[in-house]
Structures are given as structure tokens and as C-alpha cells.
């Protein structure tokens, strides 16, 4: 059984619509796929409805923007009730922060000789309620300023590059508690990817695990090298945390990590499913 527990659609910063994503999951030979768009549940009904037609089990996921001591942390939530008012309010606040920083980033781009007209950006954002830097990157590609998303991030948009502007994200503990409070299972996405290792030391993860606030760690992810995966898996085992794996598929924009390039063990999905059931959430 092939299970990919973290993918994106055009409802956030992926390029496939939710139903296209599910069709692509079937074509990639997946049995189970979780859609985890950034800070929104809006693609889930379409994705879940597309599952039976192509023989894929679609799980309801989320990737929530959190922060710990001002460093960005992404938290995956599985099986959250979308109508939970506390979680919905926090997600709305995060999306407001996403919208709110766009003018400052566009001003930075203009200052660096790369004006991006609002209508060009809007075309990239489309109907997504969750605007992100990949949309800005795609607008920069469209206007010929950079060759691809990677160059846009490496040169201009990454957290330490000149165009970047910060935004609101939920304090990590609050994000975990809101996800679990909405019936979900909370897993930290790519915990030690892109230099974030120092921000999430074992002692912090141990504290969250001991307090019962954290369910798991995403171990098999393209931002973790082999040695990091070995270490993270051992840490998850020691702390009694679930270890997941995923492609973090975004469609065309990041074609280097295709659906199913990393997967999650069936026992881990069974544990997630059982916890969602206990908490009154809805996984599919
Ligand atoms: P934002 O949601 O605006 O904070 O942008 C973060 C998103 O940009 C992530 O979810 C990734 O999809 C993408 N991203 C972040 N860093 C990079 C990078 N270095 N190269 C390519 N994409 C990235
Ligand atoms: Fe993303
Ligand atoms: Fe992420
Ligand atoms: Zn992701």
C-alpha cells in the first residue's frame, strides 16, 4: 500500500486543482493521498469527492503556518473538523497575514527593478484563499525576471533574501493544540529541513511529546538528507512519536519531487486514523 501524506493543490501554492491532484495520485500508483494545503481546508471536499472515481483514498489534511521564537514551523493536521471555530479563526488570521504582507513584497520587488503588476500576481493566485511566495515567484517567472521558482527563492524570496517580508503565524504550541482540539492529529512537517534543525531541538520536541501535544514528525521528506532521516526516526521512536513520509508535492512548480517519492507506513496511517476517531475528527 502506497501512502503519501502531504501534498498541495492550486487551492494554496500547488499547481494541480484538487481533482487533478487526486487523478495524478492514481496515475502515480498511490493508494492513499492526503491533501494538506497551506492554511485552508477549501480544496478538501473536491479532492475527497474525486477519490472513488480513480480508486484513491483521499485524506483530509492541512499544513498550518506556525512559528517558534519567530522561526517558521509548518504543522500538518490530519482529520481536523473544518467547522471547528477556534481553528477556523486562527487560520483566517494566518491568511489575513498572508494577504497583508503582499503590498510590502511588491514594493520591495519594484525597488529592486522588478515591478509585478497586481493583475499578474492575481492571475497566479487565481481562486486560492492562501496567497504565498510561490505565487509571487511564478509571477516573476512569467515576467522574465527569473528562470524558475527555485531561482526566485534562492535569490530573492527566501527568509534571508531582500524581497522577503514576514507574516503572522500561530505560536507552535497553539497550532498543535488547535489541531488536536479540532479532532486532528498534529505532525510537524519537515522539522529539520532547510536549516530549521537548530529551531526545533530534541529537547523541545521531547517536551511537546511528553505533554501529549504532538503526535508525530515528518521524517521522510526531500529536505532531509539520509543521515537526518536516520536521526529523526530514532528520535521519533524514542519519544513515542509517529514517523511519516511524503512528497510535499506542489505540481509543476517543484517538479523535482513527484507524488509518492516518499511514503508513510500503513501502521502509521492506522495509528493516525485511530487517534482521529478517538478525538472526534473526520479523516475522509
Ligand atoms: P509562504 O507560504 O509565503 O511562507 O512561502 C513558503 C512556501 O514557499 C513553502 O510552502 C514552499 O512551497 C515554498 N518554498 C519555501 N522555500 C522555498 C525554496 N527555498 N525553494 C522553493 N520553494 C520554497
Ligand atoms: Fe508550499
Ligand atoms: Fe511546508
Ligand atoms: Zn507542504
Amino acid at each position: 500500500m502506497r501512502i503519501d501524506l502531504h501534498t498541495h493543490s492550486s487551492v494554496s501554492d500547488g499547481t494541480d486543482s484538487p481533482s487533478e491532484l487526486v487523478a495524478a495520485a492514481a496515475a502515480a500508483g498511490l493508494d492513499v493521498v492526503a491533501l494538506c494545503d497551506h492554511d485552508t481546508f477549501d480544496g478538501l471536499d473536491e479532492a475527497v469527492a474525486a477519490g472513488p472515481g480513480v480508486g484513491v483514498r483521499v485524506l483530509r489534511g492541512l499544513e498550518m503556518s506556525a512559528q517558534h521564537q519567530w522561526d517558521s514551523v509548518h504543522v500538518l493536521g490530519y482529520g481536523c473538523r473544518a467547522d471547528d471555530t477556534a481553528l477556523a479563526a486562527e487560520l483566517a488570521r494566518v491568511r489575513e497575514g498572508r494577504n497583508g504582507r503582499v503590498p510590502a513584497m511588491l514594493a520591495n520587488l519594484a525597488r529592486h527593478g522588478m515591478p509585478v503588476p497586481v493583475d499578474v500576481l492575481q492571475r497566479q493566485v487565481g481562486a486560492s484563499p492562501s496567497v504565498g511566495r510561490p505565487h509571487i515567484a511564478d509571477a516573476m517567472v512569467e515576467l522574465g525576471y527569473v528562470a524558475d521558482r527555485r531561482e526566485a527563492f534562492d535569490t530573492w524570496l527566501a527568509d534571508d533574501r531582500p524581497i522577503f517580508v514576514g507574516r503572522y503565524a500561530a505560536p507552535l504550541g497553539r497550532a498543535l493544540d488547535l489541531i488536536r482540539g479540532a479532532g486532528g492529529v498534529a505532525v510537524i512537517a519537515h522539522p529539520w529541513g532547510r536549516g530549521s534543525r537548530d529551531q526545533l531541538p530534541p529537547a523541545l520536541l521531547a517536551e511537546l511529546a511528553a505533554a501529549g501535544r504532538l503526535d508525530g514528525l515528518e521524517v521522510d521528506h526531500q529536505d532531509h538528507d539520509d543521515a537526518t532521516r536516520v536521526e529523526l526516526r530514532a528520535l521519533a521512536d524514542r519519544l513515542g512519536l509517529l514517523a511519516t513520509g511524503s512528497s510535499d508535492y506542489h505540481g509543476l512548480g517543484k517538479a523535482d519531487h513527484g507524488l509518492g517519492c516518499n511514503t508513510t507506513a500503513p501502521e502509521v496511517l492506522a495509528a493516525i486514523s485511530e487517534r482521529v476517531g478517538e478525538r472526534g475528527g473526520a479523516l475522509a
Side-chain angles (χ1 to χ4, degrees):
M1 184 149 79
R2 300 187 70 225
I3 303 163
D4 188 337
L5 283 192
H6 175 179
T7 67
H8 296 274
S9 78
S10 55
V11 168
S12 64
D13 58 8
T15 54
D16 295 353
S17 71
S19 38
E20 285 167 351
L21 165 80
V22 173
L30 291 172
D31 301 289
V32 182
V33 68
L35 175 60
C36 299
D37 272 319
H38 295 284
D39 305 310
T40 176
F41 297 118
D42 282 6
L44 294 179
D45 289 343
E46 179 185 326
V48 168
V54 294
V56 173
R57 180 174 170 212
V58 178
L59 305 181
R60 294 180 177 271
L62 168 74
E63 185 172 18
M64 184 170 182
S65 301
Q67 52 90 14
H68 178 66
Q69 294 171 354
W70 311 115
D71 291 311
S72 165
V73 181
H74 288 178
V75 184
L76 298 164
Y78 296 107
C80 296
R81 289 183 304 271
D83 63 356
D84 180 89
T85 51
L87 177 56
E90 188 70 4
L91 292 176
R93 185 173 175 189
V94 171
R95 292 193 302 268
E96 262 318 294
R98 286 178 169 279
N99 289 328
R101 65 144 170 200
V102 168
M105 289 185 73
L106 294 185
N108 285 348
L109 282 162
R111 200 163 31 247
H112 284 82
M114 298 179 286
V116 173
V118 171
D119 62 308
V120 172
L121 177 60
Q122 191 49 55
R123 198 157 56 238
Q124 294 297 341
V125 174
S128 169
S130 186
V131 56
R133 281 174 283 170
H135 298 117
I136 295 176
D138 291 349
M140 294 171 74
V141 173
E142 180 181 332
L143 294 164
Y145 300 144
V146 290
D148 52 23
R149 274 192 189 181
R150 166 127 318 161
E151 184 188 344
F153 271 88
D154 290 353
T155 312
W156 302 110
L157 299 174
D159 294 26
D160 58 351
R161 304 308 299 166
I163 306 301
F164 175 73
V165 175
R167 59 180 171 83
Y168 176 77
L172 175 58
R174 187 192 303 176
L176 297 172
D177 296 346
L178 285 170
I179 286 169
R180 292 176 58 262
V185 162
V187 173
I188 297 183
H190 42 72
W192 288 354
R194 294 208 180 107
S196 61
R197 188 182 178 118
D198 295 342
Q199 287 125 42
L200 295 172
L204 172 64
L205 299 173
E207 187 184 309
L208 293 169
R213 301 171 85 185
L214 174 63
D215 293 287
L217 301 174
E218 189 179 49
V219 170
D220 289 310
H221 184 279
Q222 83 265 357
D223 291 349
H224 295 150
D225 62 22
D226 289 347
T228 301
R229 295 181 191 203
V230 169
E231 259 184 281
L232 259 181
R233 190 180 311 283
L235 181 65
D237 282 350
R238 181 160 69 76
L239 300 180
L241 293 171
L242 303 171
T244 67
S246 79
S247 62
D248 201 354
Y249 174 79
H250 281 70
L252 284 181
K254 295 179 170 178
D256 52 332
H257 45 105
L259 284 161
C261 67
N262 296 294
T263 55
T264 296
E267 314 79 87
V268 172
L269 174 57
I272 289 172
S273 194
E274 188 180 328
R275 290 183 199 190
V276 170
E278 286 163 6
R279 294 172 195 170
L283 195 53

